[in-house]
Amino acid sequence: MILSVNELAFTYPSHSVLQEINFSICKGKFLAVLGVNGAGKSTLLKCINRVLKPCAGAVFIQNDEIGKLSQREIAKRIGYVAQRQESVCMTVYDAVLLGRKPYIQWEASKKDLEITHKALKMLELEEYSLRYLNELSGGEQQKVVIARALAQEPNLLLLDEPTSSLDLKNQLEVVRIIKRVVRNQQIGAVVSMHDLNLAIRFADKFLLLKNGEVFAAGGLEVMTPENIESVYSISVKVKEIDGIPVVVPV
């Protein structure tokens, strides 16, 4: 088991966000976290990564409790891609090399440089390595931050709405890359998503949040019209087109 979340709860001073969250994920699996705006998806990812401290419950990565690990050790095990990225003036290569920060003592080693190059190659970014981030499209920038997370050599990827500002082609490309990397590297991924069709097509497992609680969790069997209607307050049908499941609002 790569990740196990047990009885997790989080409360802001003004209101409760998450209550009694339980789920786990094995290596090689892609879990989609689904729910309406304000359901607690981003907060959940931040609690897993210890950006936010839960008020109850525990998170375990490879049987080690996150709360007992240093920030450096967490960064070695978890690659986190936030929903919004700061715009900085640096090259693609340097941005990906930043993923090696938890490992670098005085200066980048030959191994750090090799892993950076491998991450660039994995995301097909080699030809962009000397370009500046502000010269890239939204899809290219998103690949860079994923490459940086992979340069950490994590056991787990946490991605907060990685396709939210991308066009259709780049949405498909980014999610395909995530799926391929998770399978080939045998790591886990927890991805908050708004697009149900991307989720149902590519994810292995699903966590449906409603009012800060787990409404349903499991495989494709939980992605029923009834569950989706209960969570999103809209009637849908789930159809197959050329073997691909599709959620259609009605």
Side-chain angles (χ1 to χ4, degrees):
M1 197 71 66
I2 285 180
L3 174 71
S4 180
V5 176
N6 302 331
E7 299 295 318
L8 186 74
F10 181 83
T11 301
Y12 286 110
S14 59
H15 65 288
S16 174
V17 182
L18 299 171
Q19 306 96 34
E20 297 182 3
I21 304 296
N22 293 282
F23 70 93
S24 60
I25 183 171
C26 300
K27 63 182 181 180
K29 298 299 181 182
F30 175 155
L31 180 140
V33 182
L34 306 172
V36 299
N37 292 336
K41 301 187 296 298
S42 296
T43 300
L44 174 59
L45 267 59
K46 290 176 182 177
C47 286
I48 293 172
N49 199 33
R50 210 66 180 180
V51 173
L52 295 174
K53 185 178 179 180
C55 62
V59 177
F60 295 87
I61 178 114
Q62 297 172 305
N63 298 319
D64 292 323
E65 188 175 352
I66 288 285
K68 296 179 180 178
L69 300 176
S70 67
Q71 285 300 321
R72 180 180 288 268
E73 186 60 34
I74 291 172
K76 289 180 179 180
R77 301 200 198 187
I78 298 177
Y80 174 55
V81 176
Q83 190 176 143
R84 294 177 181 84
Q85 303 295 325
E86 292 183 12
S87 180
V88 292
C89 185
M90 67 170 58
T91 66
V92 168
Y93 189 92
D94 288 340
V96 176
L97 181 59
L98 274 177
R100 299 301 301 162
K101 187 177 179 181
Y103 301 90
I104 295 173
Q105 298 298 324
W106 297 103
E107 60 182 21
S109 66
K110 181 180 178 182
K111 181 181 178 181
D112 294 321
L113 301 180
E114 288 173 349
I115 290 170
T116 298
H117 178 74
K118 181 181 176 182
L120 287 165
K121 185 176 181 180
M122 204 179 300
L123 275 294
E124 300 178 352
L125 289 168
E126 297 135 298
E127 65 180 282
Y128 300 94
S129 61
L130 297 181
R131 289 176 60 179
Y132 285 90
L133 294 178
N134 60 4
E135 298 174 350
L136 304 182
S137 69
E140 290 161 350
Q141 290 183 21
Q142 195 66 354
K143 290 180 192 176
V144 172
V145 294
I146 294 172
R148 183 177 64 201
L150 290 174
Q152 295 172 228
E153 294 189 300
N155 305 110
L156 177 71
L157 280 176
L158 299 178
L159 300 109
D160 194 356
E161 297 183 23
T163 63
S164 61
S165 60
L166 304 182
D167 60 48
L168 181 60
K169 178 179 181 291
N170 280 302
Q171 286 178 20
L172 285 168
E173 189 171 358
V174 165
V175 179
R176 281 190 178 120
I177 288 169
I178 295 166
K179 178 79 170 181
R180 183 178 71 241
V181 167
V182 167
R183 183 181 63 245
N184 292 347
Q185 302 294 313
Q186 283 296 288
I187 62 176
V190 178
V191 186
S192 71
M193 304 181 75
H194 274 307
D195 192 316
L196 293 178
N197 285 314
L198 283 175
I200 203 171
R201 180 172 180 175
F202 292 100
D204 304 297
K205 299 288 184 179
F206 306 89
L207 187 74
L208 292 164
L209 295 180
K210 182 178 181 180
N211 298 326
E213 298 179 349
V214 176
F215 181 84
L220 196 57
E221 74 278 358
V222 306
M223 295 297 287
T224 63
E226 294 78 16
N227 283 346
I228 294 170
E229 180 174 350
S230 294
V231 170
Y232 289 92
S233 301
I234 186 172
S235 297
V236 302
K237 291 184 178 180
V238 180
K239 301 288 187 180
E240 275 202 9
I241 300 176
D242 295 334
I244 300 170
V246 177
V247 178
V248 183
V250 295

